Structure formats: C-alpha cells, structure tokens
C-alpha cells in the first residue's frame, strides 16, 4: 500500500542555532549518564555500612534523589527521541537533564562538595530552561512572538550564578561563600518554578484552545501532586521543629516530570492514552493489594493476640483467596471510573480508529486514503467543511485535494514558506482558532486566506521527513465546539493516514 509520505518533502535543515542546541543538549545528556554511573562509586565510602551518615540520611540525600534523577533523565531521553527537532522537546530535555545531574550531585553537596560547581551549573541551567519552557509551552507567549529572544532571558541569571560558582570553587574555596551561592541558586530555582506555575495558570484561564487548557490542567495537577507535600512539610516544620524531612516525600515529586512528559508527547503518540489508562488501573490495583495485605496481617494479629508470621500458610492462602474474589470486579470498576474521569468518549473513538486502521491496509492509492480519511472525519464529527491540503511539488505550494467526485474543493493555496505552513510544521500539533476567530499573531499574514477557508481547526499530517499536509475543518453542523477528545481523535487519524 503506498502511503502519504510519497507526497512528503524534506524538512528544512536545522539552522546553525538549532544544531548548536542539539550539540549542547547531547553533551549534557552524555554528562548526565556519566554522573549517573559514577555517583555511587564516588560516594562509595560515604554510603557503606561504616559511614558516619545514618541510613535515613543516606536515603534522604542520595538514594531518593538518585532515583528521582534517573526518572528525570529517562523522561529527557524519551522526549528527545520523539521531539528532538522542535523547541519544546529540546528545552524540556535540557531542563530534565540538568535537573537529573543536580539530583545525582545532591549528596556530594552535603558532604565533600567536590562536585559543587557541577551542581550549581546544573541547577542554574535547569532554572533557565524552565523559564524558557514557560514562554513556549503549552503555547507560545505573546511577548515571545514579538520578541523571540525574550525566552532566553532566564539564562542570564544562570550565567551569573555559574561564573560566581567557578570563581568561589577555584579561586577562594571559602565554604561560607559557597553557602551564599547555594542560597542564591535555590532562590533562583524557586523563582523559576513560580514563573512556570504562573504562566501555566494564565494559559489555563486565558487560552481559547481546549487542548492547551487541558495540557495546562494536567501540568498543574502534576505540579500540585509533586510539591504540595514538600510545602506542607515546610510549613509544618516551621510550627514543630522536630518534624524531619522524609525520603517518602520524593515519591510525590515524580509526578512533575512524568505528567509534564505526558502532556508533551500525548498529542503525537497514539498509544499514550492506553498506556496512561493501564498505568492508573494497575497502580490502583497494586495499592489495593498492598493495603489489603497490611490490614489483613494487622487484623489477624490483633485477633490472634500476637504477631503473625507474614509467611504463615493460612495468611498467604487467605490473601490469595481475597485477591481472586475481588481483583476482577475491582479492575472493571477502576476502568469505568478512569474512563469517565479521563477518557470520556474515548472508547467510541478508539473503535473508530481501529476500523480506520483496518480499512487503510486494503487501499492502494493516495486518493483512496484521502477519501477514507474524509469519510471518517465526516461520519464522526460532521464538520460543515472538510479540506485536505497536500503538497504540489510542481508549483511548490500546498493545494486542497479534490473532492471524492473529482471536483475542486478550494482554489486557495499556501506557499511552503507561508506562516500557516511554518507554524503547523514547528508546533507539530493542532491549531484551534474557534468560532471567535482567535487567530494567533503568527498567522496574521495568512489571515485573509484562512478567512476564505471558513475553517476553525487545522490538523497537521506529519510524515517521517516533515509535514505532508493538513486537515482544515469548518464548524460542526451540530453547532457544538470541538472538544479535546475530538482533536485527539483527528490527530490520531492523521497519524495513521501518514504511515
């Protein structure tokens, strides 16, 4: 079966700045892997049984941050593998990699401070990258449209802190000065986190795009889950000085990189929703089984009047019996609740996608693929207008593909260098204008053409080497606005059609 990439064109080469970003990011990722592998050996004499540091301190300052750093590094590599050619993927990967290095070096910071400069560099870069990310994700800030260099302002304090750290490390070595730099770095990362939180809140309440609002909502959930326990501990510790920081608090912080990674990859990864659903369901089952086992052991011990052996045959048999009885209905109940909370309407669309994929394998030409794509969009969403734009290699611009009966669907065409083409290629996801005609400032050059199309939704079709084309959809005949699940469904259809 020929696929739509037969129409594809080569994505423009990365400019010098883009190549430089990739080189810097690659160096940081290699450095992170080196630190990941070497940190346990560097700290070996401080982590053994005869160390002056208690096991709780070792868990608090090394083991827990080390695992969290590994999660940040894994998320960085995952995002980089999927979105290395766009700004969001590069900046998030830099932020996550730098954060991972700082966590790997945390124990050294509290002990020998041999890696003091590396820790300062990584935290400073992490804060600068987070501010950079705030300007471009989930959508580009308006100030960044007018002043594209504004998103790099966060790296200025990063550079000052890095220079200060190297000066103190190699020219003075004074530990008091180091303490001041550590305090400044922590204040900077706190400000960067606050800036990111504020920008996400603004997009949640102010963006016209349902996709951007949903991404912002998920990010804020991750932010709250990750940092609320730490904030609660800090406030509690101020009231009661005998409350110690627990390594368990680091568990909640994993929500921030995991959910942020999910929002970045979700809209271009077909199986991400299924993976998230399974993760939630099986995590819930695991918590239920572990909690039930603990309650059963405790209850039987109270009834028996003594401490029951965890490996007692009666206890093991009882646990297996209870699990066998409740695990299936519990799984079904969890699945229905998860579907209702996160994936409402997703089942119908999933069945439609499977049917579309099956029919796609029987087609032998591009025109048939486009016709099938149009029919599924019309059947599922009933838009008032459906246009499929593909590249015309002869004239070097995008044109609207003919209707199923061979008639011309639109006379409007878009140059490869036009603002709409560039924005769709750069973002790699849907542009939602809406019935209120909230046209992004980047598209003002093509405003007249877009108005003639009478389209409010633009969904890119991405091939291996760049953007093949896009769907342009008008208002729904029902008058309902496009929902997040509608947009995800459309993007999944386009992804399958491009394979």
């Amino acid at each position: 079966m020929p696929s739509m990439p037969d129409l594809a064109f080569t994505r423009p080469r990365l400019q010098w700045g883009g190549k430089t970003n990739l080189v810097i990011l690659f160096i940081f990722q290699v450095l992170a892997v080196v630190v990941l592998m070497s940190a346990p050996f560097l700290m070996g004499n401080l982590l053994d049984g005869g160390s002056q540091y208690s096991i709780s301190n070792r868990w608090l300052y090394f083991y827990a941050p080390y695992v969290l750093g590994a999660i940040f590094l894994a998320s960085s590599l995952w995002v980089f593998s999927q979105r290395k050619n766009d700004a969001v993927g590069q900046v998030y990967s830099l932020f996550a990699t730098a954060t991972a290095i700082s966590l790997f070096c945390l124990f050294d910071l509290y002990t020998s401070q041999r890696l003091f400069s590396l820790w300062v560099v990584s935290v400073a870069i992490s804060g600068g990258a987070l501010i950079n990310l705030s300007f471009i994700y989930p959508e580009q800030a308006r100030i960044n449209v007018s002043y594209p260099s504004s998103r790099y302002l966060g790296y200025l304090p990063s550079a000052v802190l890095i220079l200060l750290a190297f000066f103190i490390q190699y020219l003075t070595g004074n530990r008091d000065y180091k303490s001041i730099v550590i305090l400044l770095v922590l204040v900077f990362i706190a400000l960067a986190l606050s800036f990111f939180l504020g920008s996400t809140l603004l997009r949640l309440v102010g963006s016209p795009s349902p996709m951007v609002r949903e991404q912002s909502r998920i990010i804020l959930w991750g932010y709250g889950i990750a940092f609320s326990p730490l904030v609660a501990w800090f406030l509690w510790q101020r009231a009661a000085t005998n409350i110690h920081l627990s390594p368990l608090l680091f568990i909640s912080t994993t929500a921030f990189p995991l959910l942020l990674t999910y929002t970045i990859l979700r809209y271009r990864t077909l199986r991400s929703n299924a993976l998230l659903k399974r993760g939630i369901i099986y995590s819930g089952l695991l918590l239920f089984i572990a909690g039930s086992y603990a309650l059963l052991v405790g209850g039987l011990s109270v009834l028996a009047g003594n401490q029951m052996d965890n490996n007692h045959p009666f206890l093991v048999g009882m646990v297996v019996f209870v699990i066998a009885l409740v695990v299936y209905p519990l799984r079904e109940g969890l699945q229905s609740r998860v579907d209702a909370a996160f994936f409402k309407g997703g089942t119908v669309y999933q069945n439609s996608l499977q049917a579309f994929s099956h029919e796609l394998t029987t087609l032998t030409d591009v025109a048939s693929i486009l016709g099938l794509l149009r029919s599924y969009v019309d059947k599922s969403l009933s838009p008032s207008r459906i246009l499929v734009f593909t590249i015309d290699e002869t004239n070097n611009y995008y044109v609207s593909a003919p209707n199923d009966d061979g008639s011309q669907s639109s006379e409007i065409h878009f140059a490869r260098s036009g603002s709409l083409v560039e924005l769709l290629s750069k973002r790699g996801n849907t542009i939602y204008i809406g019935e209120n005609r909230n046209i992004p400032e980047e598209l003002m050059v093509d405003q007249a053409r877009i108005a003639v199309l009478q389209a409010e939704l633009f969904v890119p079709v991405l091939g291996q080497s760049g953007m093949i084309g896009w769907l342009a959809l008008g208002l729904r005949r029902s008058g309902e606005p496009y929902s997040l699940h509608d947009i995800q469904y459309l993007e999944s259809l386009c992804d399958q059609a491009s394979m």
Side-chain angles (χ1 to χ4, degrees), residues 1 356-363:
M1 180 189 78
F356 178 77
S357 179
H358 176 72
E359 290 190 49
L360 204 59
T361 60
T362 65
L363 302 182

Side-chain angles (χ1 to χ4, degrees), residues 57-357:
N57 283 335
R58 280 177 272 164
W59 269 103
L60 180 61
Y61 296 112
F62 183 77
Y63 297 123
Y66 187 83
V67 172
L68 180 59
I71 292 173
F72 266 100
L73 180 58
S75 71
S76 167
L77 296 173
W78 188 15
V79 171
F80 183 74
S81 68
Q82 299 294 318
R83 298 188 60 170
K84 62 178 177 293
N85 289 324
D86 67 63
V88 172
Q90 292 176 5
V91 175
Y92 174 77
S93 296
L94 179 60
F95 160 71
T97 303
T99 302
I101 295 174
S102 68
L103 290 167
F104 296 150
C105 298
L106 188 61
F107 190 68
D108 173 83
L109 184 70
Y110 285 94
T111 55
S112 64
Q113 294 192 349
R114 288 174 296 181
L115 303 177
F116 168 77
S117 295
L118 179 59
W119 181 84
V120 172
V121 169
S122 59
V123 177
I125 292 295
S126 175
L130 190 58
I131 293 174
N132 189 346
L133 191 65
S134 303
F135 278 94
I136 61 175
Y137 187 76
E139 66 181 354
Q140 192 167 200
R142 290 188 179 275
I143 188 175
N144 196 57
V145 176
S146 303
Y147 305 97
S149 299
S150 61
R151 67 189 182 98
Y152 298 110
L153 291 175
Y155 295 111
L156 292 179
S158 300
V160 173
L161 290 171
I162 291 171
L163 292 174
L164 190 59
F166 276 97
F167 173 78
I168 291 174
Q169 177 82 8
Y170 297 107
L171 297 181
T172 67
N174 191 309
R175 294 184 70 91
D176 293 334
Y177 290 161
K178 287 183 178 179
S179 299
I180 296 174
V181 174
I182 292 172
L183 178 61
L184 291 174
V185 168
L186 293 177
V187 169
F188 175 58
I189 195 67
L191 291 174
L193 285 166
S194 301
F195 187 82
F196 183 77
L197 174 63
S199 65
T200 306
L201 282 170
L202 287 175
R203 290 181 174 99
L204 176 65
V205 300
S207 176
S209 170
M211 185 166 59
V212 171
R213 293 197 301 271
E214 178 68 11
Q215 287 175 313
S216 301
R217 188 176 295 110
I218 295 174
I219 292 171
L220 291 172
W221 270 106
Y223 199 100
I225 295 171
F227 299 111
S228 293
L230 289 173
V231 172
W233 168 82
F234 177 78
L235 296 176
W236 196 359
Q237 194 267 346
R238 299 288 293 180
T241 55
N242 61 336
I243 304 299
H244 299 290
L245 180 63
S246 171
L248 295 176
L249 292 176
F250 282 94
I251 296 176
S252 66
T253 57
T254 59
F256 186 60
L258 292 178
L259 289 180
L260 190 52
T261 299
Y262 170 69
T263 62
I264 291 174
L265 298 180
R266 177 183 186 181
Y267 301 97
R268 299 250 57 97
T269 305
L270 295 177
R271 300 180 63 187
S272 58
N273 280 351
L275 292 174
L276 177 66
K277 184 192 299 185
R278 291 178 184 175
I280 294 173
I281 291 171
Y282 289 115
S283 296
L285 289 174
L286 179 62
L287 289 174
F288 170 79
I289 292 171
S292 300
Y293 182 76
L295 289 173
L296 195 58
V297 171
L300 291 176
S301 297
V302 171
L303 291 175
N306 58 2
Q307 185 68 32
M308 180 173 284
D309 184 8
N310 292 344
N311 296 320
H312 195 284
F314 174 76
L315 180 60
V316 174
M318 180 68 73
V319 170
V320 172
F321 177 72
V322 171
I323 291 174
L325 281 178
V326 304
V327 70
Y328 181 75
L330 180 64
R331 180 187 179 279
E332 292 298 308
L334 277 174
Q335 182 165 329
S336 63
R337 290 179 182 276
V338 169
D339 285 339
F342 295 98
F343 307 100
K344 187 177 181 180
T347 303
V348 174
Y349 280 152
Q350 190 64 37
N351 293 336
S352 179
L353 286 171
Q354 291 175 357
F356 178 77
S357 179

